Amino acid sequence: METIRIGRSIDNEIVLQDQTVSRNHACINENEGNFTLTDNDSSNGTFINGNRIYGTVKLDKHDILKVGNVLVPWMNYINGNAHAEKTTIQHEGNSQESNLTHQNERKVIPVPLANGALVLGILSIIFTTGALIGLILGIIGISNSNKGLKLYYMNPQAYDPSSANVAKAGKVCAIIGVILSSVVILWWTLILIAIANHG
């Protein structure tokens, strides 16, 4: 098994001259053409395709490796026998490539109240026969959906688009529930009026 050490120390096979890189940051192990990556409890992390890893994980040939704040084209430094050629990478912290990587790794979060809005919307349709219950659930569902979508439209890059679709679906269900419940309430109101007039 071959080991390719990555870090800031000059005794590594791949030397990264950047302060976000630990002296002995990580290592790549090769065994019969299969690669694994081990993070050596680094301070600023080791990332595969934007996801931080812990311990040892499988490394595929097309994976994007980032050590600290440095992108490492690791396959470029491995020859046919999987030996790393000694190389030093000088990192430019304000490079366009680095900035794009940080943007791609930005965490997105679910739209607040999206799932709740969908559940309430569905329940408002289910409880249509309960009239007032369906109406109340639908109104709350619409309100929750509007609050979540307002936050999403203000900063769409910060939220998960699929979660926004959940909020929209919840709003549609809630509106249907409100309409159906209103029809039921109106129907029972007319029946009660008719009974009162004939009484």
Side-chain angles (χ1 to χ4, degrees), residues 75-148:
M75 283 298 294
N76 292 348
Y77 306 103
I78 300 173
N79 64 24
N81 296 319
H83 291 283
E85 297 178 2
K86 182 76 173 184
T87 184
T88 299
I89 299 176
Q90 181 69 44
H91 177 242
E92 297 179 5
N94 60 349
S95 68
Q96 182 179 6
E97 183 178 32
S98 177
N99 290 337
L100 289 174
T101 301
H102 285 303
Q103 291 176 8
N104 291 335
E105 291 173 2
R106 181 167 45 205
K107 300 295 183 183
V108 293
I109 59 176
V111 172
L113 306 174
N115 292 332
L118 180 59
V119 171
L120 288 170
I122 294 173
L123 289 177
S124 70
I125 295 176
I126 294 174
F127 286 100
T128 293
T129 53
L132 189 58
I133 297 176
L135 181 64
I136 293 173
L137 291 174
I139 291 173
I140 297 174
I142 293 172
S143 176
N144 286 354
S145 176
N146 285 339
K147 290 177 182 177

Side-chain angles (χ1 to χ4, degrees), residues 156-196:
Q157 295 181 342
Y159 297 99
D160 183 3
S162 63
S163 183
N165 291 333
V166 170
K168 293 174 184 178
K171 183 175 182 179
V172 171
C173 290
I175 291 173
I176 294 173
V178 167
I179 293 173
L180 293 177
S181 297
S182 299
V183 170
V184 171
I185 291 173
L186 179 60
W187 173 259
W188 282 110
T189 301
L190 293 176
I191 290 177
L192 291 174
I193 291 173
I195 292 174

Side-chain angles (χ1 to χ4, degrees), residues 14 17 24 34 38 45 47 56 65 77 82 90 104 124 138 188 196:
I14 299 179
Q17 296 181 345
N24 298 293
N34 297 312
T38 301
F47 303 83
T56 300
L65 172 61
Y77 306 103
Q90 181 69 44
N104 291 335
S124 70
W188 282 110

Side-chain angles (χ1 to χ4, degrees), residues 4-17 70-78 83-90:
I4 303 163
R5 298 169 299 168
I6 305 172
R8 203 172 69 248
S9 176
I10 60 173
D11 60 354
N12 291 291
E13 280 72 36
I14 299 179
V15 180
L16 305 178
Q17 296 181 345
V70 185
L71 285 174
V72 182
W74 60 280
M75 283 298 294
N76 292 348
Y77 306 103
I78 300 173
H83 291 283
E85 297 178 2
K86 182 76 173 184
T87 184
T88 299
I89 299 176
Q90 181 69 44

